[in-house]
Amino acid sequence: MNSCLITADRLWDGSGGPTLVRPLVRVSDTHIDAVERGMPQPATCTGERYDFPGCTILPGLIDTHVHLVFSALATNEAIIEQVTRETDAELFQRALANAEAALRAGITTVRDCGGKNAVVQAVRDAIRRRDVVGPDILACGMPITTTLGHCHWLGLVADSLEEVDAASLRMLAEDADFLKVMATGGNMTPTSDPMKAQYGSEALARIVEIGRAAGKHAAAHVLSRAALPEVVAAGYRTIEHCDWRVEEWRYEFDPDLARRMIDQEQYAGITVSGTTRRAFLEEIRLDTSGPIRRLDMRFECERRMMDFGVKYTLHTDAGVRLTPIERFDLGLRTAQIEHKLTPHEILQAATATAAKAISLNDRGVLQAGKRADLIVVEGDPLRDLTCLEKVKAVMKAGVWVKK
Ligand SMILES: [Zn+2]
């Protein structure tokens, strides 16, 4: 059995407590044996020892919404053209390259919210078999959508209740880890309308039930209030984007709906994709399209939801325009600038809360018994989030993948 000791100047364990000074992490095989403070001298040390002076140890990052087959090109049209043209073999190569890049950037788990055919499951399985190196992947396969609806070009169209049942069962048969529905239209698909619901409450509820019967959670894409009440009522575990827009230029937070989300332990997935990164990207500052002109309203409404107590994760939607998977750090820094979250709150959303949201209870915090998914960054990210740009070492399930 492999075992090792890791030391650094600081450790932030994701549990909500303060940073530990001069910690020592004992890893045994795939799991954490102990996290100790004050760097005690190990009585018996059979394994190797790794010291990271000047560094901080954190739980591996978790991005709860990515698209491994997307290429993060500058326009939606170019991304869609590529995804619809390419063969599964080509898409597999891109997804694999994205997965590898994510892991090198310290993202040890990703949840893929929409691929083509069963490409993402194939990448997931290749990583599980250890044929290739990458993060743990949860895959929904293809998202369920309507004729010409959001992401219909990924190929899983279902309009009637019977078709919705069949699509859900097909994804389970194709070994999806969870089910994803496009409950409203999306900005990326011009034939769809973000202000309109794509499904009624019955269809939305069926997807959750079919998933639940198979022991899997469900995620819903929601870009306006047109579908939010129905999605909350149906019991979706995560509400992707969780957008409260009621009219073209009006957002309206609803405390009753938010209360219900809290009571039902539902998670809002706050999107910090390229289009939110105006602090970093000139292209976005110059862009006058609706989603970007609405950013202030959107951020303000999201901040209200956070203050109200709704649980949230911060995800990148990686692969969509201007959102390379390895720049999770820019998304997280956007949340600091735009939502005024503290580094502690941001890291919590991207580790412990993210793990809970996607029902992976073996990770997200650095404690005895949890999986040894950890990263080492130079400096102190609790003081300065830019530390996340340079991840020095990454361990996944007790194995160094970058060191
Ligand atoms: Zn997405």
Side-chain angles (χ1 to χ4, degrees):
M1 193 155 70
N2 278 333
S3 68
C4 74
L5 300 172
I6 309 163
T7 71
D9 282 14
R10 288 163 298 273
L11 177 142
W12 181 86
D13 74 1
S15 72
T19 303
L20 297 186
V21 178
R22 295 177 64 75
L24 177 123
V25 181
R26 294 170 188 269
V27 173
S28 157
D29 202 21
T30 55
H31 283 68
I32 294 170
D33 244 0
V35 176
E36 293 160 24
R37 68 172 73 220
M39 212 180 283
Q41 284 307 307
T44 51
C45 173
T46 50
E48 293 211 57
R49 181 176 167 140
Y50 303 92
D51 296 309
F52 295 98
C55 295
T56 305
I57 302 171
L58 304 168
L61 302 176
I62 299 172
D63 194 339
T64 54
H65 185 145
V66 304
H67 297 276
L68 291 169
V69 299
F70 292 4
S71 52
L73 296 173
T75 67
N76 292 329
E77 294 72 25
I79 295 167
I80 295 168
E81 188 278 324
Q82 201 176 37
V83 166
T84 47
R85 171 175 43 84
E86 287 185 345
T87 64
D88 282 5
E90 288 168 318
L91 292 169
F92 180 91
Q93 287 309 320
R94 169 163 325 97
L96 182 58
N98 278 332
E100 286 169 348
L103 188 60
R104 278 197 304 276
I107 306 161
T108 48
T109 302
V110 298
R111 185 177 64 158
D112 189 283
C113 282
K116 199 174 140 200
N117 301 330
V119 169
V120 176
Q121 292 95 311
V123 174
R124 174 198 66 193
D125 295 344
I127 292 168
R128 275 189 196 159
R129 288 193 305 268
R130 300 197 186 190
D131 293 349
V132 291
V133 171
D136 273 14
I137 296 171
L138 291 190
C140 71
M142 293 179 273
I144 300 166
T145 194
T146 52
T147 299
L148 295 182
H150 183 41
C151 290
H152 68 90
W153 35 270
L154 286 173
L156 188 60
V157 167
D159 294 316
S160 68
L161 282 179
E162 292 69 30
E163 286 165 353
V164 164
D165 285 356
S168 307
L169 292 169
R170 181 180 155 200
M171 285 306 98
L172 295 176
E174 292 182 11
D175 208 12
D177 300 293
F178 68 104
L179 296 174
K180 164 92 186 284
V181 66
M182 299 306 195
T184 68
N187 295 322
M188 205 174 172
T189 308
T191 51
S192 76
D193 183 353
M195 293 306 289
K196 290 212 175 95
Q198 298 199 147
Y199 292 104
S201 51
E202 207 180 334
L204 290 172
R206 294 272 269 268
I207 295 166
V208 172
E209 283 159 21
I210 291 170
R212 198 173 279 153
K216 322 237 163 176
H217 71 267
H221 156 107
V222 176
L223 265 194
S224 70
R225 285 272 299 275
L228 188 54
E230 289 78 10
V231 162
V232 172
Y236 281 82
R237 176 80 176 171
T238 70
I239 302 173
E240 305 304 300
H241 318 304
C242 197
D243 203 286
W244 299 76
R245 188 155 64 110
V246 286
E247 286 170 13
E248 181 71 14
W249 297 105
R250 196 160 65 87
Y251 276 74
E252 202 176 276
F253 177 72
D254 176 357
D256 292 335
L257 204 49
R259 168 57 52 203
R260 192 154 179 203
M261 287 175 69
I262 295 169
D263 292 343
Q264 298 183 163
E265 215 190 322
Q266 290 169 305
Y267 290 78
I270 307 281
T271 307
V272 282
S273 61
T275 46
T276 68
R277 300 176 189 175
R278 58 188 178 185
F280 305 103
L281 300 176
E282 181 72 13
E283 299 97 306
I284 299 305
R285 283 196 291 274
L286 296 173
D287 192 321
T288 56
S289 63
I292 289 160
R293 283 165 65 200
R294 283 191 292 269
L295 278 175
D296 284 319
M297 281 185 231
R298 202 196 103 183
F299 291 141
E300 194 196 322
C301 199
E302 288 171 342
R303 180 71 228 199
R304 272 193 77 183
M305 172 168 60
M306 293 164 171
D307 288 340
F308 193 82
V310 173
K311 293 197 177 87
Y312 61 90
T313 65
L314 295 165
H315 69 237
T316 61
D317 214 353
V320 301
R321 63 183 288 236
L322 303 169
T323 315
I325 200 161
E326 65 274 19
R327 295 314 303 269
F328 199 5
D329 65 310
L330 285 186
L332 298 180
R333 284 167 65 196
T334 293
Q336 185 175 30
I337 296 163
E338 308 287 2
H339 299 97
K340 311 278 184 276
L341 292 175
T342 65
H344 178 89
E345 290 168 327
I346 287 166
L347 289 169
Q348 195 118 39
T351 57
T353 309
K356 281 196 194 120
I358 59 174
S359 306
L360 293 177
N361 299 319
D362 62 345
R363 66 197 72 185
V365 290
L366 298 178
Q367 288 171 342
K370 297 289 182 182
R371 234 171 70 134
D373 286 358
L374 59 86
I375 64 175
V376 181
V377 299
E378 212 152 335
D380 184 357
L382 277 307
R383 287 176 192 277
D384 178 9
L385 270 183
T386 61
C387 297
L388 293 175
E389 198 180 324
K390 291 210 180 76
V391 174
K392 207 177 164 84
V394 180
M395 173 179 273
K396 186 189 138 193
V399 177
W400 288 113
V401 290
K402 172 176 175 178
K403 177 164 95 271

